[in-house]
Every structure is written in structure tokens, then in C-alpha cells.
Amino acid sequence: MKKILVFACLMLAIGCSHQESDPIETEIDEILSQMTLDEKIAVIHAQSKFSSRGVPRLGVPELWCMDGPHGVRPETLWDAWASAQQTNDSCTAYPALTCLAASWDRDLAKLYGQSVGEEALYRRKNVLLGPGIDIARTPLCGRNFEYMGEDPYLAGHMAAPYVQGLQSNNVAACVKHYAVNDQEFQRLTINVNVDDRALYEIYLPAFKTAVQEGGAWSIMSSYNKYQNKFVSHNPRLLKEILKGEWGWDGAVISDWGAVHETVGAAEGGTDLEFGSYTDGESRNTPAAYDHYFLAQPYKEKLLAGELPMKDLDDKVRRVLRLILRTQPNGKKGYLCSDQHYADCRKIGTEGIVLLKNKDGILPMKAKAKRIVVLGENAIRPMIVGGSSSSLKAQREISPLDGIRAAFPDAEVVYERAYYSGEPTPGRGYNYSFYDISEERPAAKLLEDALAAVEGADYVLFIGGLNKQKGQDCEGRDRESYDLPYGQNEVIEAIAAVRPDLIYINISGTPVAMPFAGDVAAIVQAWYLGSETGNALSDVLTGKVNPSGKLPFTFPIALEDGPLKTERQYPGIQDEDGNWQVYYDEGIYVGYRWYDTRQVPVLFPFGYGLSYTTFKYGQVKASAKAIKDDISFSIPITNTGKVAGAEVVQLYIQDVKSSVDRPLKELKGFEKVWLQPGETKTVRFTIGKDALSFFDAERHEWVAEPGEFKALIGASVADIRSEVSFELK
Ligand code: GLC
């Protein structure tokens, strides 16, 4: 009783604690000193599919985790993936994170984290398993839709406020998948060969920002290997870098089934083991959890003196810290509230990217009488699917429903135009609130679509990918960069009779668009979640002026990219049959490849149009020569007729360096909202770290004296103003 009283008083104290004197550490010492070995072992591995034990005797609660980055997954059975078929665990489905990244709006990221965190709080979760910030190294990666693009500066600076917002509810983020989990092909065992410079300049920075600026309380160790060691057993990544160089005090939670041995996990830096398939006999039975690698087998080695107690105590300390940090702080949780749907809609409208708008065909005119909507993605729900990020949403407004709601007086005709086939069943909650079965053969679908477009004021084609395996889905990569299900031919056939066709692409990753020159408008619409149809129609009607910018490059063809060989992607098997992938392209990922090598692309990184226009003035630097910080300022004017927002991007170019460097690298971005005719000055301040490259030999960041350029762009390929300065 006394202990619980102490614990309760402490929680009160924490509620009004100050940052500096953190009573949590005192409480951890107090609890740790009283824990038995069995209690210590119990808290560092799962007790069910998504929970781990607390210390009941000392009043320490258990820990509940749940997917995912854009909504709280429905409850599964105690120790199986199957759905628990509960009726109170629907959620708000937020836009997938590529949409958030495309907003380039830090405040929106914070709102997103805070909002989805309130749903996790309502569902009594301590840890929300997200955000995902692995780098979009290839457009084929099945999980790009869950991540935040190809540039570590953008990904990190959008993830950090999301983490802050989420954790303001005392719900921990679990930033994933640390690290270099940039493809799904052979993800469970593939060994990633990447040099230190690329590791430090491309694949780690977003995690470092999420940890050091976002304050993430937990990180998920990824399935793959690095330097031939599973990441969950990898002291270099988990101890040397994450907990050492970055001074991180959080808990490493393994991906589900990412721990494969006791010594490796014990010494490698994993603090909390989840999802392990143990020795087979005891899998999915109550005893299974005792067979976890950090359970009885670990205890035996500790008692035999084969492993040091200090590693166990460090794990327990970190897990206790995670439990204590995620105790209710008086904030309320909410589920499927009007506010959350409004947040969803706002995130969606701000992330949508207008890629082409010939003759200003968009926004659509309100007086439209007949609108023809084509394409399966106009009706296909996308919230179920994608695997672990799949959700049971209370609401999913389809693009077609959204368009109908926005044009109540128009005749809105729908034709499917293409068919993706029967959906592969999801994990038990693929409930059939939608019937998208189809009898007509492809030729008939096209024939019916062509017949429908006669006399239409607008023809919209809503296509792209979906959340099926092999599309935008965890566990497998796409086999082709092309749109699936014969969409290209259908789009071309319709554009031939309706060159004013408006193509709306729903995907979480780049796709080929051979028809780009034959359609009048192109909108990148992402997976927008519960408010999909409303967010999309808000932009199509001009109710919201689009302000999204691409978080990754759309190459014209896959072969234009930096991954030229099998060993670069998807990887090859070595003489022992182990899968190996080699990041031979080094730091030349995404625009660092296309822009530096001047490879023409379909749409560049950072690109996005508006219904208005912006003029960039001349950028000014705070000094001609610097030793450390430097500031830049530039006036931006809305020269059009409607209010809008512009994402002003700062790229840095090292004019002369002793090593090969990309032509430019993103080191700042600011989103500015402007009324027609209004001018605002946008400011950036950067330090030497923004000028540095990572010198792998010296294992340190180096900023070489000499000339640099600050390039201010509306995209990486559209530099509007630049200024030179010298680093002394
Ligand atoms: C999955 C995913 C991870 C998810 C976890 C729990 O395999 O890799 O992102 O959070 O397992 O579902």
C-alpha cells in the first residue's frame, strides 16, 4: 500500500515537475532498488502481442503499445495478430505521413501528433508505434507511404514536431525503423552495406533530429542487419551512436520479431523485446513469453554470470522511464471527435500537391452541371490495408462522395474505368462496408467510361496505387514503377477524347506518368484518411488553395535513378545465401542524384503549384564572411488574386570542397501564408553544421572554409534567388 501511495504522490509531483529536477529519475532509483531479478526480467519483454509487464508489487503499471503512425490500430487478440473484433476501437484515420511531409508545415506536424495522440490516450496506449522516417531511397519501397520522403532534413524537421505533439499527451512516440530499413524486399534478414558518410548524412539525421529536437521517448530497432548484425543486436547503432553520441535516454523497442538471440539483444542495446517467435513449441501460448530471448534464457545467463547485471539494470531503467513518462498527466483523450476530423481534413488539404494545371483548369467552377468521375480509386477505401498501419476507421469519405458533396446541384456520373481485382483479405478486420466487386471486362469498363465523358463540364480520373500487397503496403516492394491494372492505356484513351482530363493520383510514393503531357491537370492526392473526399474536393473547388510540395522526386523512369545494379537494389545473395544490399550510390539519393547529375525528372523534390503566384525578391545575407551562424532574409509577394501559402526552401551549395558533394542540400524551409498583394519577409538562420559534410575517416563533421551559396527555391530545381558568402 505504502509503495502505491509513494508512486501516486510522485505522479502528482511529476505533474507539476520542472524539467531540470526530474523526479522520475528519483522514482526509478527507488523502484529499481526494490525490484527482484524476476521483476527486472519481466519488464523488458512482451507479455502479449502489444503489451509488456509493469511491477504490480510496486505499483508500476504495465506498458501498452499500438500501431501506427496515422491512427490507433484496432485491438488484436492477446497474443495473436487476429483482430479482437471489438466494437469500441474504431478511430480517426489521419492522412499517411507522406501527406504530412508534403505540407512542409512544422506547426501542422505538431497538431497532427497532438491530435492522433489524443486518440491513443483515449484508447489507453502508452506508446504509439510511429512516426516512420526511413528514407525513400527507391520509389519501389512498399512502405514509402508511411514515411516522410527522400530528404533527412525535411523528414527530421517534420517528425520532431509530430513527436512533440504526440508526447504532449504523455503518449510516447516510437520513431521507426531505426535504421536503414529502406526497402521491404527481404527486410527480415537483409544486410545493408552503407558507408559511414551516407549513414551519417542521409540515413541517421532524421532520427537524430527526432531524438534531439523531438525528444522521442522510444525508438524501434529495425528488422534488417547492418554490418552483418541484426539491428536489434547492434551495439554500433543502438549504443555507440543512439545512446552514446546522441546521449539518448529513451528505450529501444524491437520491431515485432526483430530479436533473434539473447546475448546479441542483451549486449546490443535492445531494451524491450516484442513479437518474438520463440522456440516453436511455446509460440502463442502463455509460456511463450517466458521463452523470449530477454526472458528466462537471459535470466539463466545472468545467474550464471555470463552477462553483466549492469546491462539489465540499464534496460530496466529505460523501460521504467518510458512507463513513468507515459502516465496520464491530466490531459483528456478523444476519439473520432469533430475536432479530429477537422484536423484530418486540414492536414489533407495542406499536403495535397498540385503538379500540373494547364490553362488554370483548376479550381473547378461551382456552376459545373455535369461532372464525370472515373477510376477505381474514386470509390476504393484505402484505410484498411497496408498491413500494420491498417486501421478500422469510423469514417472514410471517398473521393466520389466528397465531389458529390461539393457539387450538390451537378450531375456527378461515376464510371470505374479500371478494376484492380478482388482485395486480398486483410488481418481479420477487412470488414465489408464497401463492395467494390466488378463483373465487366476491362474493354467494357473503358467503353462505358468513354461513353460517359460525352458533354461533361469536367472529367476527373482518380487512379494510382492502393494498399494491396505489392502496392503501397508493408512486407513487399512494388515490382514496377508503372501504374498497375492497365491504367496508363485507359488514361491515354480518355485523354485522347478529353485533353482537358484532370488526373488525380492516389499513392504514397512516386509513379510513372507517361500520360503527363496528355492531361490538363495532375494532382498528387496521397492517402488522406477519414476525410479523403472532403480534403480532395476542398482543393479541387479552390475552397483551399493547394500549398503542398513533393517530399520526393518523381523520376520519369526508374532507370533514371541512382540504383543501377541488382546489388544496389533489391540486393543479391552472397555465397552463404545471405541477402546483401549495397548502397553504392552513397549520399546521392533522390534529388542529390537527379539535381547534381542534371538528370531530367517528371517532377522535382520540393515542387508544387498554387492557384496563385509568388514573387521572390533578392535574398540578403547577414554577413559576407562568417565563422559560425549566418542569417538570410527574402521578401515573398503573393502576386495573384487569391490567398495562398508558399514553401520557401533554403538549399546550401559548397562551391569548392575537397570531397564530392551534392550540388545543393536542403538546410531550411519556411511556409508563409500571403493575402493577394501581400509581402512578407522570410528569414533563415543556419550554423556551421549546415555547411558540413561527414568525414568518415576522421569520424566528424567538417565545414571547410571557402565560398558557399545560399540558394532560395520554390523547389530544388527552381532557384529564385541566391547569395554567396564565405566561411572563414
Ligand atoms: C510490423 C512493422 C512495425 C509495426 C510492428 C507492430 O512488422 O514493421 O512498423 O509497428 O510490426 O505491428
Side-chain angles (χ1 to χ4, degrees):
M1 190 51 201
K2 171 178 166 294
K3 286 289 134 234
I4 293 178
L5 209 59
V6 165
F7 182 75
C9 301
L10 174 96
M11 284 303 103
L12 215 62
I14 288 176
C16 46
S17 76
H18 308 292
Q19 278 312 319
E20 55 276 6
S21 64
D22 187 345
I24 282 188
E25 298 311 309
T26 315
E27 178 62 6
I28 291 172
D29 293 336
E30 169 76 9
I31 296 168
L32 197 57
S33 66
Q34 299 181 62
M35 287 172 79
T36 64
L37 178 58
D38 283 338
E39 287 169 336
K40 290 181 180 178
I41 288 290
V43 300
I44 62 170
H45 63 82
Q47 68 170 0
S48 77
K49 205 52 163 179
F50 283 103
S51 74
S52 52
R53 279 175 68 81
V55 193
R57 181 177 65 84
L58 301 176
V60 178
E62 51 197 29
L63 189 80
W64 280 88
C65 305
M66 190 45 100
D67 289 312
H70 42 261
V72 190
R73 175 176 180 164
E75 300 303 326
T76 65
L77 294 177
W78 181 258
D79 61 12
W81 290 115
S83 161
Q85 301 291 348
Q86 287 181 8
T87 55
N88 62 350
D89 55 358
S90 294
C91 70
T92 304
Y94 292 79
L97 289 193
T98 31
C99 176
L100 175 62
S103 75
W104 294 61
D105 181 346
R106 295 179 180 84
D107 295 339
L108 193 67
K110 189 159 202 166
L111 169 70
Y112 188 133
Q114 185 225 305
S115 188
V116 72
E118 287 172 353
E119 301 242 332
L121 186 58
Y122 184 90
R123 291 272 302 279
R124 301 195 186 298
K125 306 304 175 188
N126 305 101
V127 183
L128 189 65
L129 301 171
I133 52 173
D134 291 285
I135 294 297
R137 173 176 177 258
T138 167
L140 300 183
C141 174
R143 293 188 87 170
N144 280 344
F145 76 97
E146 283 187 69
Y147 303 152
M148 299 178 95
E150 70 188 24
D151 178 87
Y153 184 91
L154 176 64
H157 287 85
M158 290 299 286
Y162 172 109
V163 168
Q164 289 165 347
L166 173 60
Q167 295 186 163
S168 71
N169 298 289
N170 275 16
V171 174
C174 184
V175 186
K176 68 190 187 180
H177 306 86
Y178 178 85
V180 287
N181 179 184
D182 308 303
Q183 66 186 57
E184 290 301 286
F185 180 77
Q186 297 296 336
R187 65 167 175 165
L188 303 180
T189 59
I190 198 160
N191 180 50
V192 176
N193 300 274
V194 56
D195 66 47
D196 269 11
R197 183 162 178 217
L199 183 71
Y200 275 80
E201 288 194 19
I202 304 297
Y203 299 101
L204 293 181
F207 287 98
K208 185 176 182 185
T209 306
V211 157
Q212 295 191 330
E213 295 191 26
W217 290 338
S218 72
I219 284 238
M220 187 183 290
S221 57
S222 57
Y223 284 123
N224 53 283
K225 290 177 190 167
Y226 163 69
Q227 292 185 334
N228 287 307
K229 277 204 185 95
F230 281 109
V231 170
S232 300
H233 314 156
N234 199 299
R236 178 153 200 234
L237 286 177
L238 300 183
K239 293 172 107 167
E240 242 176 80
I241 295 173
L242 177 59
K243 297 173 180 176
E245 290 177 15
W246 299 352
W248 187 61
D249 68 357
V252 172
I253 297 177
S254 77
D255 201 340
W256 268 239
V259 172
H260 302 274
E261 52 158 88
T262 296
V263 175
E267 296 183 328
T270 289
D271 301 305
L272 197 36
E273 174 188 359
F274 269 99
S276 295
Y277 293 140
T278 55
D279 60 4
E281 292 118 56
S282 59
R283 185 171 149 183
N284 286 352
T285 62
Y289 300 101
D290 291 341
H291 289 265
Y292 267 43
F293 299 101
L294 290 182
Q296 294 316 313
Y298 186 28
K299 179 182 171 184
E300 283 152 25
K301 290 187 181 304
L302 288 160
L303 290 176
E306 291 168 33
L307 290 170
M309 277 296 175
K310 69 174 174 50
D311 283 351
L312 170 65
D313 285 346
D314 184 57
K315 295 179 199 299
V316 175
R317 185 174 287 283
R318 290 171 184 272
V319 172
L320 289 177
R321 190 172 293 130
L322 184 58
I323 294 174
L324 298 183
R325 280 170 164 170
T326 56
Q327 291 314 300
N329 61 357
K331 272 207 70 171
K332 281 170 62 69
Y334 302 89
L335 195 70
C336 303
S337 62
D338 291 344
Q339 182 57 53
H340 287 179
Y341 287 122
D343 295 342
C344 247
R345 187 165 178 166
K346 179 177 169 62
I347 295 157
T349 55
E350 263 209 60
I352 288 172
V353 186
L354 178 60
L355 294 172
K356 180 178 182 182
N357 190 18
K358 193 169 144 210
D359 308 331
I361 186 170
L362 288 175
M364 296 164 70
K365 292 179 178 46
K367 63 179 182 2
K369 286 282 162 282
R370 177 177 162 83
I371 299 168
V372 173
V373 178
L374 307 174
E376 182 181 276
N377 279 359
I379 60 166
R380 185 195 181 94
M382 299 286 191
I383 292 172
V384 170
S387 190
S388 67
S389 63
S390 179
L391 299 169
K392 178 169 28 176
Q394 186 188 61
R395 177 190 299 181
E396 180 169 9
I397 295 167
S398 71
L400 180 60
D401 291 346
I403 290 161
R404 286 201 159 122
F407 292 91
D409 307 328
E411 182 201 9
V412 179
V413 171
Y414 174 67
E415 271 300 336
R416 188 186 208 121
Y418 74 91
Y419 178 43
S420 64
E422 271 307 299
T424 44
R427 278 200 174 124
Y429 46 84
N430 222 10
Y431 34 93
S432 56
F433 67 71
Y434 56 87
D435 170 16
I436 59 166
S437 57
E438 176 62 59
E439 310 304 325
R440 293 169 289 175
K444 182 74 174 91
L445 286 171
L446 177 55
E447 184 188 317
D448 292 349
L450 288 168
V453 300
E454 288 298 312
D457 295 315
Y458 290 101
V459 182
L460 310 172
F461 187 103
I462 304 180
L465 304 180
N466 58 39
K467 296 289 196 66
Q468 292 289 96
K469 285 268 179 244
Q471 300 294 326
D472 277 320
C473 181
E474 171 186 343
R476 204 185 305 171
D477 288 339
R478 287 164 60 206
E479 318 258 301
S480 160
Y481 182 51
D482 288 332
L483 285 179
Y485 320 125
Q487 289 177 77
N488 287 343
E489 293 70 32
V490 173
I491 293 165
E492 293 290 5
I494 293 160
V497 296
R498 291 295 304 236
D500 62 343
L501 182 63
I502 295 162
Y503 175 67
I504 293 155
N505 188 57
I506 292 185
S507 78
T509 188
V511 296
M513 294 188 191
F515 49 81
D518 304 327
V519 299
I522 299 174
V523 177
Q524 174 61 24
W526 311 116
Y527 296 107
L528 300 171
S530 287
E531 288 288 325
T532 292
N534 289 335
L536 181 58
S537 53
D538 283 352
V539 168
L540 294 176
T541 61
K543 187 174 168 203
V544 176
N545 185 355
S547 60
K549 301 259 184 172
L550 292 178
F552 41 53
T553 310
F554 270 66
I556 294 166
L558 198 59
E559 302 66 46
D560 298 341
L563 311 186
K564 304 292 187 192
T565 62
E566 191 90 14
R567 56 181 261 134
Q568 281 178 282
Y569 181 81
I572 53 176
Q573 284 182 287
D574 61 23
E575 58 283 355
D576 305 324
N578 300 317
W579 281 98
Q580 301 281 347
V581 65
Y582 296 87
Y583 288 18
D584 297 334
E585 74 285 355
I587 58 175
Y588 295 98
V589 173
Y591 71 85
R592 286 174 169 81
W593 168 265
Y594 299 105
D595 182 63
T596 303
R597 299 282 193 291
Q598 294 300 300
V599 174
V601 298
L602 182 60
F603 302 112
F605 174 80
Y607 175 80
L609 299 174
S610 171
Y611 293 145
T612 187
T613 49
F614 299 98
K615 181 168 78 63
Y616 287 57
Q618 173 55 45
V619 60
K620 289 190 173 50
S622 58
K624 282 302 289 169
I626 58 159
K627 277 218 185 75
D628 216 329
D629 290 2
I630 184 167
S631 298
F632 305 102
S633 61
I634 180 165
I636 308 287
T637 306
N638 178 344
T639 48
K641 296 185 176 46
V642 294
E646 174 68 339
V647 177
V648 181
Q649 300 153 45
L650 166 65
Y651 294 92
I652 292 296
Q653 183 177 90
D654 187 349
V655 174
K656 191 170 132 338
S657 63
S658 64
V659 296
D660 205 38
R661 296 192 73 176
L663 189 59
K664 43 178 100 98
E665 295 182 87
L666 182 75
K667 296 296 177 186
F669 60 89
E670 292 300 332
K671 192 159 192 172
V672 59
W673 278 261
L674 295 165
Q675 292 302 320
E678 185 181 12
T679 296
K680 282 182 185 166
T681 297
V682 173
R683 287 182 172 71
F684 300 96
T685 297
I686 59 169
K688 255 169 66 171
D689 59 319
L691 311 179
S692 305
F693 64 86
F694 186 74
D695 181 326
E697 277 64 53
R698 293 160 59 183
H699 195 75
E700 61 182 13
W701 289 91
V702 173
E704 289 177 333
E707 185 191 359
F708 285 83
K709 275 184 183 171
L711 310 167
I712 307 294
S715 82
V716 71
D718 181 5
I719 300 304
R720 302 290 183 86
S721 181
E722 62 180 70
V723 63
S724 295
F725 61 97
E726 188 202 350
L727 173 66
K728 286 208 191 69

